[in-house]
Structure formats: structure tokens, C-alpha cells
Amino acid sequence: MGKLECDHCVGMYPHIAADGKGSFVVASSDGVVDKAGQILWRLDHLSFSKIVPLRLPGDGGLTFFSTETPSRLGRHDAQGKVLWSFNGPFLDVGIFENADGKRLPAATMGKGKSSVWQLYELDGKPLQQIALPNWANNVSAIAWPARGHLLAG
């Protein structure tokens, strides 16, 4: 395993997550590296991509969600193995936190007035669609901490 080196790697959209072993990993558009920059796994992609980490409840460890714009959404285990993936018109991937504190993968679909966040269960089953206002495309994080209160940042 060496450092991530390739002519198209840019490491965009980094997300830091605790690895559950007293250290951390960094997920970016290209893959996941440890704190020393050693690649743990890379995302094989041909177009713009993004990876976001999610710590599973209890001692479930880390899982990762990826999107390759505009066509693929997937879930990966901590070693990068694809657990599920499917095609669709996906623009972005993120983590949605509901009022109960449950964190779910969410994919942005559509543009402008037709933008929605499609929420998924961890097994990839579609759960709910949330219509997004036009300004939501400029938001990097959304949480719903209590019924009737939406936080956007």
C-alpha cells in the first residue's frame, strides 16, 4: 500500500472520521487514507465523485457512501468493498440526520425547483424523498434536530 498517486487524483471534499481504533481516516473524492496518508482503499471512478463516512450505531464501525456524478450511488464497508450500488441521476451524496438523531445516507437528485434529497436505509432501500428549496443547492449540511426546526449550514 502506497500513498495515493495518480494523474487525476485531487482529494476534493475531504471528510475526517474516527476509525474506532484511536485514530482517524480521511475520505475524499478519490478514496480513503489513514492519518499518515497511506491509502486504505481507492474509489475507481471515471467522473466527478465524492465519498462520505458514517459511523454505524454501537460498535458497527465505519461505512462509506459514494457518488459518481451523474450516474452511480454506492455503499462501501471500511475496507472499500461495495455492499450495494445502483444507477440514477445523482448529483451529490451526504448524510441526513433526522429529529431522532438517526443518520441516513442521502442523495441529491434534480436541480433548482425539482431538487430532492432521496433518503436511504443502510441496506439501500429508498426511505423518503424531501423536496429542497432552490437555495438548498448552496448548503453543505442539513440537520433536522426537532420537529419543525431545520438547520442548514
Side-chain angles (χ1 to χ4, degrees), residues 120-147:
Y120 294 91
E121 295 283 359
L122 292 177
D123 64 3
K125 178 182 168 188
L127 178 66
Q128 175 186 1
Q129 278 193 354
I130 299 173
L132 299 174
N134 286 339
W135 56 262
N137 290 322
N138 298 317
V139 173
S140 61
I142 294 178
W144 201 331
R147 214 167 270 293

mmCIF file of all heavy atoms in Angstrom, residues 120-147:
data_model
loop_
_atom_site.group_PDB
_atom_site.id
_atom_site.type_symbol
_atom_site.label_atom_id
_atom_site.label_comp_id
_atom_site.label_asym_id
_atom_site.label_seq_id
_atom_site.Cartn_x
_atom_site.Cartn_y
_atom_site.Cartn_z
ATOM 1 N N TYR A 120 -32.083 6.987 2.145
ATOM 2 C CA TYR A 120 -31.992 5.538 2.013
ATOM 3 C C TYR A 120 -31.767 4.886 3.369
ATOM 4 O O TYR A 120 -31.123 5.458 4.247
ATOM 5 C CB TYR A 120 -30.824 5.149 1.095
ATOM 6 C CG TYR A 120 -31.025 5.582 -0.324
ATOM 7 C CD1 TYR A 120 -30.580 6.813 -0.764
ATOM 8 C CD2 TYR A 120 -31.689 4.760 -1.224
ATOM 9 C CE1 TYR A 120 -30.779 7.219 -2.073
ATOM 10 C CE2 TYR A 120 -31.893 5.158 -2.541
ATOM 11 C CZ TYR A 120 -31.436 6.386 -2.949
ATOM 12 O OH TYR A 120 -31.638 6.788 -4.239
ATOM 13 N N GLU A 121 -32.272 3.666 3.503
ATOM 14 C CA GLU A 121 -31.920 2.820 4.636
ATOM 15 C C GLU A 121 -30.489 2.344 4.399
ATOM 16 O O GLU A 121 -29.963 2.433 3.282
ATOM 17 C CB GLU A 121 -32.866 1.608 4.730
ATOM 18 C CG GLU A 121 -34.296 1.965 5.027
ATOM 19 C CD GLU A 121 -34.529 2.324 6.499
ATOM 20 O OE1 GLU A 121 -33.574 2.277 7.306
ATOM 21 O OE2 GLU A 121 -35.667 2.669 6.819
ATOM 22 N N LEU A 122 -29.844 1.792 5.416
ATOM 23 C CA LEU A 122 -28.469 1.314 5.257
ATOM 24 C C LEU A 122 -28.371 0.151 4.275
ATOM 25 O O LEU A 122 -27.308 -0.097 3.714
ATOM 26 C CB LEU A 122 -27.874 0.925 6.610
ATOM 27 C CG LEU A 122 -27.627 2.096 7.559
ATOM 28 C CD1 LEU A 122 -27.110 1.594 8.895
ATOM 29 C CD2 LEU A 122 -26.665 3.100 6.954
ATOM 30 N N ASP A 123 -29.485 -0.558 4.055
ATOM 31 C CA ASP A 123 -29.464 -1.672 3.099
ATOM 32 C C ASP A 123 -29.713 -1.211 1.664
ATOM 33 O O ASP A 123 -29.798 -2.030 0.751
ATOM 34 C CB ASP A 123 -30.474 -2.750 3.491
ATOM 35 C CG ASP A 123 -31.920 -2.271 3.451
ATOM 36 O OD1 ASP A 123 -32.180 -1.109 3.067
ATOM 37 O OD2 ASP A 123 -32.803 -3.067 3.829
ATOM 38 N N GLY A 124 -29.855 0.102 1.431
ATOM 39 C CA GLY A 124 -30.054 0.648 0.098
ATOM 40 C C GLY A 124 -31.511 0.834 -0.286
ATOM 41 O O GLY A 124 -31.810 1.354 -1.353
ATOM 42 N N LYS A 125 -32.413 0.441 0.590
ATOM 43 C CA LYS A 125 -33.843 0.590 0.305
ATOM 44 C C LYS A 125 -34.223 2.069 0.386
ATOM 45 O O LYS A 125 -33.933 2.737 1.381
ATOM 46 C CB LYS A 125 -34.643 -0.209 1.319
ATOM 47 C CG LYS A 125 -36.135 -0.100 1.153
ATOM 48 C CD LYS A 125 -36.848 -0.891 2.240
ATOM 49 C CE LYS A 125 -38.316 -0.541 2.254
ATOM 50 N NZ LYS A 125 -38.990 -1.146 3.401
ATOM 51 N N PRO A 126 -34.880 2.613 -0.666
ATOM 52 C CA PRO A 126 -35.326 4.011 -0.608
ATOM 53 C C PRO A 126 -36.292 4.205 0.559
ATOM 54 O O PRO A 126 -37.178 3.383 0.787
ATOM 55 C CB PRO A 126 -36.035 4.221 -1.947
ATOM 56 C CG PRO A 126 -35.460 3.189 -2.845
ATOM 57 C CD PRO A 126 -35.183 2.007 -1.963
ATOM 58 N N LEU A 127 -36.090 5.291 1.305
ATOM 59 C CA LEU A 127 -36.887 5.527 2.507
ATOM 60 C C LEU A 127 -37.867 6.677 2.319
ATOM 61 O O LEU A 127 -39.048 6.543 2.591
ATOM 62 C CB LEU A 127 -35.956 5.811 3.691
ATOM 63 C CG LEU A 127 -36.589 6.124 5.021
ATOM 64 C CD1 LEU A 127 -37.331 4.897 5.540
ATOM 65 C CD2 LEU A 127 -35.533 6.541 6.030
ATOM 66 N N GLN A 128 -37.361 7.826 1.849
ATOM 67 C CA GLN A 128 -38.190 9.027 1.788
ATOM 68 C C GLN A 128 -37.540 10.037 0.850
ATOM 69 O O GLN A 128 -36.321 10.081 0.745
ATOM 70 C CB GLN A 128 -38.290 9.621 3.198
ATOM 71 C CG GLN A 128 -39.001 10.932 3.305
ATOM 72 C CD GLN A 128 -38.931 11.506 4.727
ATOM 73 O OE1 GLN A 128 -38.339 10.926 5.622
ATOM 74 N NE2 GLN A 128 -39.533 12.650 4.916
ATOM 75 N N GLN A 129 -38.360 10.849 0.199
ATOM 76 C CA GLN A 129 -37.844 11.972 -0.583
ATOM 77 C C GLN A 129 -38.228 13.263 0.113
ATOM 78 O O GLN A 129 -39.351 13.404 0.596
ATOM 79 C CB GLN A 129 -38.427 11.982 -1.997
ATOM 80 C CG GLN A 129 -37.721 11.059 -2.928
ATOM 81 C CD GLN A 129 -38.088 11.313 -4.382
ATOM 82 O OE1 GLN A 129 -38.950 12.114 -4.697
ATOM 83 N NE2 GLN A 129 -37.403 10.621 -5.273
ATOM 84 N N ILE A 130 -37.282 14.201 0.167
ATOM 85 C CA ILE A 130 -37.515 15.513 0.754
ATOM 86 C C ILE A 130 -37.274 16.549 -0.341
ATOM 87 O O ILE A 130 -36.170 16.629 -0.894
ATOM 88 C CB ILE A 130 -36.569 15.779 1.943
ATOM 89 C CG1 ILE A 130 -36.802 14.746 3.047
ATOM 90 C CG2 ILE A 130 -36.760 17.198 2.467
ATOM 91 C CD1 ILE A 130 -35.796 14.832 4.182
ATOM 92 N N ALA A 131 -38.319 17.313 -0.679
ATOM 93 C CA ALA A 131 -38.176 18.374 -1.681
ATOM 94 C C ALA A 131 -37.297 19.476 -1.099
ATOM 95 O O ALA A 131 -37.461 19.876 0.058
ATOM 96 C CB ALA A 131 -39.547 18.922 -2.052
ATOM 97 N N LEU A 132 -36.363 19.962 -1.897
ATOM 98 C CA LEU A 132 -35.438 21.003 -1.451
ATOM 99 C C LEU A 132 -35.766 22.331 -2.116
ATOM 100 O O LEU A 132 -36.035 22.370 -3.318
ATOM 101 C CB LEU A 132 -33.999 20.617 -1.790
ATOM 102 C CG LEU A 132 -33.476 19.339 -1.143
ATOM 103 C CD1 LEU A 132 -32.093 19.016 -1.685
ATOM 104 C CD2 LEU A 132 -33.437 19.473 0.362
ATOM 105 N N PRO A 133 -35.721 23.426 -1.364
ATOM 106 C CA PRO A 133 -35.907 24.746 -1.976
ATOM 107 C C PRO A 133 -34.692 25.098 -2.837
ATOM 108 O O PRO A 133 -33.627 24.491 -2.699
ATOM 109 C CB PRO A 133 -36.026 25.684 -0.779
ATOM 110 C CG PRO A 133 -35.351 24.967 0.342
ATOM 111 C CD PRO A 133 -35.513 23.504 0.083
ATOM 112 N N ASN A 134 -34.836 26.071 -3.723
ATOM 113 C CA ASN A 134 -33.748 26.464 -4.624
ATOM 114 C C ASN A 134 -32.444 26.763 -3.894
ATOM 115 O O ASN A 134 -31.374 26.387 -4.346
ATOM 116 C CB ASN A 134 -34.147 27.685 -5.454
ATOM 117 C CG ASN A 134 -35.138 27.343 -6.531
ATOM 118 O OD1 ASN A 134 -35.247 26.198 -6.931
ATOM 119 N ND2 ASN A 134 -35.873 28.333 -6.997
ATOM 120 N N TRP A 135 -32.507 27.465 -2.759
ATOM 121 C CA TRP A 135 -31.289 27.856 -2.053
ATOM 122 C C TRP A 135 -30.551 26.661 -1.469
ATOM 123 O O TRP A 135 -29.380 26.745 -1.113
ATOM 124 C CB TRP A 135 -31.591 28.879 -0.961
ATOM 125 C CG TRP A 135 -32.619 28.441 0.045
ATOM 126 C CD1 TRP A 135 -33.940 28.771 0.041
ATOM 127 C CD2 TRP A 135 -32.421 27.606 1.181
ATOM 128 N NE1 TRP A 135 -34.582 28.187 1.101
ATOM 129 C CE2 TRP A 135 -33.668 27.469 1.829
ATOM 130 C CE3 TRP A 135 -31.319 26.962 1.727
ATOM 131 C CZ2 TRP A 135 -33.841 26.706 2.977
ATOM 132 C CZ3 TRP A 135 -31.487 26.200 2.873
ATOM 133 C CH2 TRP A 135 -32.740 26.086 3.485
ATOM 134 N N ALA A 136 -31.195 25.512 -1.389
ATOM 135 C CA ALA A 136 -30.574 24.339 -0.772
ATOM 136 C C ALA A 136 -29.353 23.838 -1.531
ATOM 137 O O ALA A 136 -28.496 23.172 -0.957
ATOM 138 C CB ALA A 136 -31.593 23.223 -0.624
ATOM 139 N N ASN A 137 -29.245 24.152 -2.811
ATOM 140 C CA ASN A 137 -28.072 23.721 -3.569
ATOM 141 C C ASN A 137 -26.797 24.406 -3.098
ATOM 142 O O ASN A 137 -25.708 23.990 -3.449
ATOM 143 C CB ASN A 137 -28.280 23.975 -5.066
ATOM 144 C CG ASN A 137 -29.317 23.050 -5.652
ATOM 145 O OD1 ASN A 137 -29.379 21.887 -5.276
ATOM 146 N ND2 ASN A 137 -30.123 23.560 -6.552
ATOM 147 N N ASN A 138 -26.913 25.461 -2.295
ATOM 148 C CA ASN A 138 -25.754 26.160 -1.758
ATOM 149 C C ASN A 138 -25.458 25.773 -0.319
ATOM 150 O O ASN A 138 -24.622 26.387 0.327
ATOM 151 C CB ASN A 138 -25.987 27.674 -1.833
ATOM 152 C CG ASN A 138 -26.156 28.143 -3.249
ATOM 153 O OD1 ASN A 138 -25.428 27.710 -4.129
ATOM 154 N ND2 ASN A 138 -27.135 28.994 -3.484
ATOM 155 N N VAL A 139 -26.123 24.757 0.189
ATOM 156 C CA VAL A 139 -25.975 24.330 1.575
ATOM 157 C C VAL A 139 -25.058 23.116 1.639
ATOM 158 O O VAL A 139 -25.172 22.201 0.834
ATOM 159 C CB VAL A 139 -27.367 23.977 2.173
ATOM 160 C CG1 VAL A 139 -27.236 23.378 3.551
ATOM 161 C CG2 VAL A 139 -28.242 25.217 2.208
ATOM 162 N N SER A 140 -24.139 23.110 2.605
ATOM 163 C CA SER A 140 -23.229 21.979 2.730
ATOM 164 C C SER A 140 -23.666 20.988 3.806
ATOM 165 O O SER A 140 -23.188 19.867 3.829
ATOM 166 C CB SER A 140 -21.811 22.468 3.025
ATOM 167 O OG SER A 140 -21.786 23.178 4.230
ATOM 168 N N ALA A 141 -24.573 21.379 4.705
ATOM 169 C CA ALA A 141 -25.043 20.454 5.734
ATOM 170 C C ALA A 141 -26.460 20.803 6.146
ATOM 171 O O ALA A 141 -26.818 21.970 6.259
ATOM 172 C CB ALA A 141 -24.133 20.515 6.970
ATOM 173 N N ILE A 142 -27.269 19.767 6.334
ATOM 174 C CA ILE A 142 -28.644 19.951 6.791
ATOM 175 C C ILE A 142 -28.913 18.971 7.919
ATOM 176 O O ILE A 142 -28.536 17.809 7.843
ATOM 177 C CB ILE A 142 -29.668 19.715 5.658
ATOM 178 C CG1 ILE A 142 -29.522 20.770 4.573
ATOM 179 C CG2 ILE A 142 -31.082 19.700 6.193
ATOM 180 C CD1 ILE A 142 -30.461 20.591 3.409
ATOM 181 N N ALA A 143 -29.549 19.432 8.978
ATOM 182 C CA ALA A 143 -29.973 18.566 10.082
ATOM 183 C C ALA A 143 -31.376 18.972 10.493
ATOM 184 O O ALA A 143 -31.782 20.124 10.327
ATOM 185 C CB ALA A 143 -29.014 18.679 11.267
ATOM 186 N N TRP A 144 -32.112 18.037 11.040
ATOM 187 C CA TRP A 144 -33.476 18.282 11.496
ATOM 188 C C TRP A 144 -33.520 17.908 12.966
ATOM 189 O O TRP A 144 -33.958 16.816 13.332
ATOM 190 C CB TRP A 144 -34.418 17.404 10.701
ATOM 191 C CG TRP A 144 -35.829 17.831 10.655
ATOM 192 C CD1 TRP A 144 -36.538 18.536 11.579
ATOM 193 C CD2 TRP A 144 -36.753 17.549 9.615
ATOM 194 N NE1 TRP A 144 -37.816 18.720 11.187
ATOM 195 C CE2 TRP A 144 -37.984 18.110 9.966
ATOM 196 C CE3 TRP A 144 -36.667 16.860 8.416
ATOM 197 C CZ2 TRP A 144 -39.114 18.012 9.169
ATOM 198 C CZ3 TRP A 144 -37.791 16.771 7.638
ATOM 199 C CH2 TRP A 144 -38.994 17.339 8.006
ATOM 200 N N PRO A 145 -33.021 18.779 13.864
ATOM 201 C CA PRO A 145 -32.846 18.412 15.265
ATOM 202 C C PRO A 145 -34.163 18.245 16.038
ATOM 203 O O PRO A 145 -34.219 17.526 17.010
ATOM 204 C CB PRO A 145 -32.022 19.562 15.846
ATOM 205 C CG PRO A 145 -32.325 20.702 14.947
ATOM 206 C CD PRO A 145 -32.572 20.125 13.587
ATOM 207 N N ALA A 146 -35.208 18.912 15.613
ATOM 208 C CA ALA A 146 -36.501 18.788 16.277
ATOM 209 C C ALA A 146 -37.591 19.063 15.247
ATOM 210 O O ALA A 146 -37.373 19.792 14.275
ATOM 211 C CB ALA A 146 -36.616 19.783 17.435
ATOM 212 N N ARG A 147 -38.745 18.495 15.454
ATOM 213 C CA ARG A 147 -39.851 18.687 14.520
ATOM 214 C C ARG A 147 -40.111 20.171 14.325
ATOM 215 O O ARG A 147 -40.225 20.925 15.272
ATOM 216 C CB ARG A 147 -41.094 18.003 15.086
ATOM 217 C CG ARG A 147 -41.955 17.442 14.006
ATOM 218 C CD ARG A 147 -43.010 16.512 14.539
ATOM 219 N NE ARG A 147 -42.671 15.120 14.639
ATOM 220 C CZ ARG A 147 -42.440 14.323 13.603
ATOM 221 N NH1 ARG A 147 -42.445 14.796 12.407
ATOM 222 N NH2 ARG A 147 -42.190 13.057 13.778
#
